């Protein structure tokens, strides 16, 4: 049983005991996607009686439903009183890039096993971090398992509506401009909502070796020779691995010109791939000519981080259908898929 010191101490039969100090000035530090450190200040009075800390953590949207607990309801985490700051890891299934609220009580375990507790501290809000390179490397390794054999290709392509290309010509001097990536894919991806780039595809039909004639993104297609975007003057990065409750999986790769702002962004946050030797997208030289291959068993979404002038390629209408059901715009990742999830979060 948990007894609360204060006005209700008469009910607990321990009215003669001094109140336990209430934690204040709570600080959250060293935040990762699945852990954090917490510390606070306490009055020294009765501090030596503290044996445990009770920590109440909630996703921010639920904070009002569980703001203060009844004295007989156990809190979510009972931790032995250790020197502060205290690391919280693995006690909850923390999700990356998620807002939480946290409150703390001090507690004293009695000889009968019951706890005497202080009042709750103030409620503090914080947000967990994105996936680190370590977590992305775990995703990368899972993606490598299902990537399949490599197929040759020669062009990158981007489908849009006719109005998009008209706008580019009229308002951007014929150059497609990078835009901020949406929130599709893994919730903890460090590129979502942050990295600026232009999406391209490179998948080919197995029987023709050419891009498919269908697309979910529009009936007009810009095609550009692969070497114009992917060459020895660019770096290649792994960005994400996900599915949308489907049997097929997506891999996001980033191509950034060496030394560009996009390259610097990725270098700090994403695992870099060897452009000549990886499981997803390669650029090798054969007899003085650059040769390109892409993985067959995953759908590659390639982000190029610099503007691309339409004069470097061609724009033409496709003959196939516009398959809206295949669009990944702001698509949510399937959190139950064992193939593309890692244990730290979704």
């Amino acid at each position: 049983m948990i007894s609360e010191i204060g006005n209700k101490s008469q009910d607990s039969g321990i009215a003669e005991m001094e109140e336990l100090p209430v934690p204040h000035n709570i600080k959250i530090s060293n935040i990762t996607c699945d852990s954090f450190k917490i510390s606070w200040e306490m009055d020294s009075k009765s501090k030596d009686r503290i044996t445990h800390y009770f920590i109440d953590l909630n996703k921010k949207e639920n904070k009002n439903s569980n703001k203060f607990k009844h004295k007989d309801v156990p809190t979510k985490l009972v931790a032995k009183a250790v020197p502060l700051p205290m690391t919280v890891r693995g006690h909850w299934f923390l999700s990356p890039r998620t807002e939480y609220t946290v409150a703390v009580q001090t507690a004293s375990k009695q000889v009968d096993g019951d706890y005497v507790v202080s009042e709750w501290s103030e409620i503090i809000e914080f947000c967990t971090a994105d996936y680190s390179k370590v977590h992305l490397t775990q995703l990368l390794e899972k993606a490598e398992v299902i990537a399949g054999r490599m197929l040759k290709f020669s062009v990158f392509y981007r489908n849009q509506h006719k109005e998009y290309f008209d706008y580019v010509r009229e308002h951007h001097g014929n150059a497609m401009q990078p835009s901020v990536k949406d929130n599709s894919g893994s919730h903890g991806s460090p590129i979502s909502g942050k990295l600026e780039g232009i999406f391209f595809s490179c998948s080919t039909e197995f029987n023709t070796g050419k891009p498919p004639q269908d697309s979910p993104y529009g009936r007009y297609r810009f095609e550009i020779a692969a070497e114009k975007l992917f060459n020895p003057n660019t770096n290649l990065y792994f960005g994400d691995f996900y599915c949308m409750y489907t049997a097929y999986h997506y891999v996001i790769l980033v191509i950034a010109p060496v030394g560009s702002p996009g390259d610097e962004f990725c270098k700090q946050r994403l695992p870099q791939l060897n452009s000549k030797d990886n499981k997803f997208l390669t650029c090798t030289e054969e007899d003085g000519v650059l040769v390109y291959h892409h993985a067959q068993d995953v759908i590659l979404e390639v982000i190029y981080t610099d503007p691309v002038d339409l004069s470097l390629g061609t724009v033409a209408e496709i003959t196939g259908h516009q398959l809206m059901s295949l669009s990944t715009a702001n698509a949510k990742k399937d959190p139950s898929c064992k193939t593309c999830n890692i244990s730290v979060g979704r």
Side-chain angles (χ1 to χ4, degrees):
M1 178 176 173
I2 299 171
S3 299
E4 196 165 350
I5 296 289
N7 296 332
K8 300 177 183 178
S9 60
Q10 297 287 347
D11 299 332
S12 65
I14 46 176
E16 73 281 359
M17 297 185 67
E18 295 180 355
E19 292 186 10
L20 291 173
V22 179
H24 61 276
N25 196 23
I26 296 173
K27 294 190 182 304
I28 306 293
S29 61
N30 296 81
I31 300 171
T32 72
C33 67
D34 63 347
S35 69
F36 61 92
K37 286 187 176 181
I38 184 170
S39 62
W40 56 83
E41 297 176 6
M42 294 178 287
D43 295 334
S44 58
K45 189 177 181 181
S46 301
K47 191 174 179 180
D48 57 345
R49 288 179 38 234
I50 297 173
T51 61
H52 292 77
Y53 303 136
F54 291 177
I55 300 176
D56 184 18
L57 184 79
N58 292 288
K59 285 189 177 181
K60 188 176 177 181
E61 58 265 31
N62 297 327
K63 66 179 180 179
N64 292 327
S65 63
N66 203 14
K67 193 170 182 179
F68 293 102
K69 294 185 175 300
H70 186 274
K71 66 180 183 179
D72 290 335
V73 179
T75 55
K76 289 190 175 179
L77 172 64
V78 179
K80 288 186 177 180
V82 296
L84 301 177
M86 176 179 121
T87 298
V88 177
R89 180 197 305 275
H91 302 94
W92 297 276
F93 194 72
L94 287 171
S95 295
R97 201 186 276 203
T98 302
E99 293 183 323
Y100 289 92
T101 62
V102 64
V104 187
Q105 287 176 310
T106 57
S108 177
K109 191 171 185 177
Q110 308 300 293
V111 292
D112 60 2
D114 289 347
Y115 289 93
V116 175
V117 298
S118 72
E119 297 285 345
W120 282 104
S121 70
E122 74 272 26
I123 295 174
I124 298 297
E125 298 179 358
F126 71 99
C127 185
T128 47
D130 297 334
Y131 284 155
S132 68
K133 281 187 180 181
V134 172
H135 302 113
L136 287 172
T137 299
Q138 294 175 24
L139 270 183
L140 163 63
E141 290 169 351
K142 291 176 81 73
E144 287 176 334
V145 173
I146 69 161
R149 69 188 187 96
M150 304 291 279
L151 299 178
K152 188 177 287 189
F153 77 101
S154 60
V155 298
F156 289 103
Y157 56 94
R158 172 175 173 80
N159 275 70
Q160 280 285 354
H161 301 286
K162 181 177 182 295
E163 292 75 16
Y164 168 83
F165 293 110
D166 289 343
Y167 188 87
V168 167
R169 294 186 187 99
E170 294 173 18
H171 299 279
H172 291 299
N174 215 46
M176 294 184 291
Q177 300 297 313
S179 59
V180 177
K181 184 194 170 297
D182 65 13
N183 289 315
S184 60
S186 299
H187 188 60
S189 172
I191 62 176
S192 292
K194 296 180 180 179
L195 177 67
E196 294 187 357
I198 305 170
F199 264 105
F200 286 92
S201 300
C202 63
S203 299
T204 55
E205 292 181 323
F206 177 75
N207 56 340
T208 66
K210 296 181 180 181
Q213 279 302 309
D214 298 327
S215 169
Y217 300 110
R219 294 195 53 80
Y220 283 78
R221 175 173 294 168
F222 171 74
E223 284 192 12
I224 184 170
E227 60 265 23
K228 297 283 181 65
L229 300 185
F230 187 28
N231 54 59
N233 296 316
T234 58
N235 284 326
L236 181 67
Y237 298 91
F238 174 84
D240 201 3
F241 176 46
Y242 70 101
C243 71
M244 303 180 298
Y245 303 89
T246 54
Y248 45 88
H249 282 78
Y250 296 83
V251 169
I252 298 179
L253 303 176
V254 183
I255 297 175
V258 174
S260 67
D263 190 35
E264 294 304 315
F265 178 96
C266 295
K267 194 172 294 183
Q268 297 174 30
R269 297 168 176 83
L270 306 180
Q272 185 170 348
L273 300 175
N274 182 341
S275 297
K276 298 179 181 179
D277 183 19
N278 66 79
K279 300 287 189 182
F280 311 109
L281 187 71
T282 60
C283 169
T284 56
E285 188 173 330
E286 297 179 12
D287 299 324
V289 178
L290 295 179
V291 178
Y292 296 87
H293 291 83
H294 71 81
Q296 176 185 6
D297 293 343
V298 291
I299 300 174
L300 296 182
E301 297 183 309
V302 180
I303 301 175
Y304 186 76
T305 62
D306 271 15
V308 177
D309 199 292
L310 294 178
S311 65
L312 296 175
T314 59
V315 177
E317 188 172 3
I318 59 173
T319 59
H321 301 285
Q322 186 175 339
L323 304 176
M324 295 304 294
S325 62
L326 296 180
S327 172
T328 61
N330 287 306
K332 298 304 179 186
K333 180 174 182 175
D334 178 1
S336 64
C337 178
K338 292 181 171 57
T339 300
C340 63
N341 281 294
I342 53 178
S343 61
V344 295
R346 299 301 188 242

